[in-house]
Amino acid sequence: MADFRNLVLAIDDRVATLTVNRPDVRNALDTETVDEFHRALDAVRQARSTVLIVTGAGDKAFVSGADINAIRARTRDDALASINSRLMSAIESHDAVSIAAVNGYALGGGCEVALACDLRIAASTAVFGLPEPTLGIIPGAGGTQRLPRIVGLGRAKEMILTGARWDATRALEAGLVSRVVPLPELMAAARALAGQVLALGPLAVRLAKAALNASSQMPLSAGLAFESTAQAITFESADKREGTTAFLEKRKPVFKGD
Ligand code: COA
């Protein structure tokens, strides 16, 4: 297992849990942490984990955003190199289904990590926001693009253009998270959600995720062609034979992911 300074990565059977571990700075993402995050995603891919749970160390913050010291030092060229944005895209396109278990402040890049995840659940103490304009910059790791796709343009404008912070209740109302639980129950709830994913055909889950991601990136006709092609792959799969046979034999399927 790779060694990290700013992250803890635990891989347990088919579920990986990545904890951003810089509680003294509310789990802010500096350049080293972003590099480690990429390495952790590679390790999760190599371990063939089906689900990746992302959370933050401590009880205050999920991730408080880009490290403001790093942001101060960054130039126009750094921004154009999309350092943080590439991380969010790597999370979004990862083989594993990602679950953000938001245990506190998810601000700026922290909110953007959550937005890049496939599923989001929150502790009742969680706070979401994209406060970059309070620093004189704009959200630069997907905030202006993924937030409106998830909650709608009007709500996204309200958050970004007023600097609003949303508590967990507001995030649930807006569809930013699918569930809110008391903080002590958060990781159990994330693992239960992971268990629901694990019960499904792994190949089907990967292809469904790819098709869902494609839906925001291509016109309907191309998306439907993508979907049919992905369905054709599942139709020839061992998982399909097992899933349909298990249904007819009234037993639980044992999927292998092929
Ligand atoms: N980058 C660098 N350092 C950060 C940080 C960030 N994004 N967020 C917090 N810290 C540091 C603080 O400077 C402070 O350092 P210190 O102990 O040396 O003074 C420490 O973490 C604790 O932060 P503090 O503000 O005292 O904690 P809090 O619990 O009262 O508030 C937040 C937590 C997250 C609400 C608050 O720290 C905050 O607003 N952070 C910035 C969020 C932001 O603007 N993110 C977008 C960045 S582009």
Side-chain angles (χ1 to χ4, degrees), residues 22-29 60-61 63-71 105-110 129-132 134-135 137-138 165:
R22 301 181 76 211
D24 291 351
V25 287
R26 304 295 181 259
N27 304 322
L29 296 176
K60 292 206 166 67
V63 170
S64 67
D67 189 301
I68 293 171
N69 295 298
I71 288 282
Y105 289 107
L107 299 177
L130 289 167
E132 285 88 343
T134 66
L135 301 169
I137 57 176
I138 77 162
R165 287 183 180 184

Side-chain angles (χ1 to χ4, degrees), residues 91-162:
I91 296 169
E92 187 177 55
S93 62
H94 199 277
D95 293 343
V97 171
S98 47
I99 300 175
V102 182
N103 57 311
Y105 289 107
L107 299 177
C111 187
E112 291 172 318
V113 168
L115 291 170
C117 287
D118 299 307
L119 306 167
R120 285 165 291 281
I121 60 173
S124 50
T125 49
V127 176
F128 296 82
L130 289 167
E132 285 88 343
T134 66
L135 301 169
I137 57 176
I138 77 162
T144 65
Q145 302 302 304
R146 292 194 180 95
L147 184 64
R149 284 171 163 86
I150 292 169
V151 303
L153 186 57
R155 291 192 186 96
K157 283 186 172 174
E158 187 247 324
M159 179 191 277
I160 295 171
L161 301 182
T162 70

Side-chain angles (χ1 to χ4, degrees), residues 4 17 34 46 97 117 136 186-187 237:
F4 301 108
T17 304
V34 171
Q46 274 163 25
V97 171
C117 287
L186 181 65
M187 292 314 287
S237 69

